[in-house]
């Protein structure tokens, strides 16, 4: 943009937009020019978990309010946003445990401090090693990286009309 031409360029991620929206930032007045990075969110559990589907997690949370610990990176992030939306849509009470990094999220779930964790592509190596198991991808469509992993939206009651967003971390240039 040129000085005083009324246009602003902005490099943004969904996390930035979430945190800035609480301070008056309105991303609807911006247009995305290009996406630089797409990093899907994955819902995982320990390999020895009794949870095999999103419905298993929801059913447990309904039967045991406040007993399920769900780990994710940062208190304000795509992970916490997804957690809060899921809690509201499924009408369940769970605990979100914010960690400073995906590495800490993985340590938390492997140490059984959380029963469920949300992570990005970095978590897939622990799925490949057999330490963690994928439950769902937070994307509208199945991802090429793990095509056998269902999406969150394949769970009855969690269709896209309820969430209205794709839980893929992205970094974009906006004007």
């Amino acid at each position: 943009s040129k000085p005083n031409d009324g246009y602003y360029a902005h490099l943004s991620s969904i996390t930035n937009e979430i945190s800035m929206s609480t301070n008056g930032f309105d991303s609807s007045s911006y247009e995305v020019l290009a996406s630089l990075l797409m990093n899907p969110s994955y819902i995982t559990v320990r390999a020895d978990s009794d949870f095999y589907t999103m419905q298993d997690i929801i059913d447990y949370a309904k039967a045991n309010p406040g007993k399920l610990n769900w780990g994710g990176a940062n208190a304000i992030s795509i992970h916490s946003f997804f957690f809060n939306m899921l809690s509201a849509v499924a009408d369940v009470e769970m605990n979100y445990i914010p960690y400073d990094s995906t590495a800490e999220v993985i340590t938390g779930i492997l140490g059984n401090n959380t029963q469920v964790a949300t992570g990005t592509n970095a978590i897939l190596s622990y799925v490949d090693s057999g330490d963690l198991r994928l439950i769902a991808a937070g994307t509208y469509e199945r991802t090429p990286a793990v095509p056998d992993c269902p999406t969150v939206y394949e769970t009855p009651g969690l269709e896209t009309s309820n969430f209205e967003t794709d839980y893929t971390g992205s970094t974009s240039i906006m004007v």
Side-chain angles (χ1 to χ4, degrees), residues 27-96:
S27 64
S28 67
S29 63
Y30 285 79
E31 184 175 330
V32 175
L33 289 181
S35 291
L36 305 176
L37 168 72
M38 299 301 283
N39 202 358
S41 294
Y42 296 101
I43 293 82
T44 60
V45 296
R46 286 171 43 116
D48 60 359
S49 172
D50 291 334
F51 302 136
Y52 290 89
T53 65
M54 285 299 297
Q55 193 63 55
D56 291 342
I57 294 168
I58 292 166
D59 290 346
Y60 178 87
K62 282 185 185 269
N64 301 280
K67 302 243 187 218
L68 185 85
N69 291 329
W70 186 306
N74 302 312
I76 299 175
S77 68
I78 192 70
H79 307 287
S80 65
F81 185 65
F82 171 80
F83 172 85
N84 290 326
M85 290 296 293
L86 175 64
S87 297
V89 169
D91 192 27
V92 294
E93 182 184 335
M94 304 180 286
N95 304 307
Y96 181 75

Side-chain angles (χ1 to χ4, degrees), residues 75-150:
I76 299 175
S77 68
I78 192 70
H79 307 287
S80 65
F81 185 65
F82 171 80
F83 172 85
N84 290 326
M85 290 296 293
L86 175 64
S87 297
V89 169
D91 192 27
V92 294
E93 182 184 335
M94 304 180 286
N95 304 307
Y96 181 75
I97 311 300
Y99 290 95
D100 289 334
S101 67
T102 298
E104 289 183 16
V105 172
I106 293 166
T107 300
I109 194 165
L110 291 176
N112 213 21
N113 297 310
T114 60
Q115 293 78 46
V116 181
T118 306
T120 53
N121 286 331
I123 215 160
L124 294 180
S125 63
Y126 292 87
V127 172
D128 292 341
S129 71
D131 294 316
L132 297 177
R133 184 173 61 245
L134 285 175
I135 296 293
T139 54
Y140 287 136
E141 297 178 5
R142 291 186 180 208
T143 67
V146 284
D148 293 334
C149 178

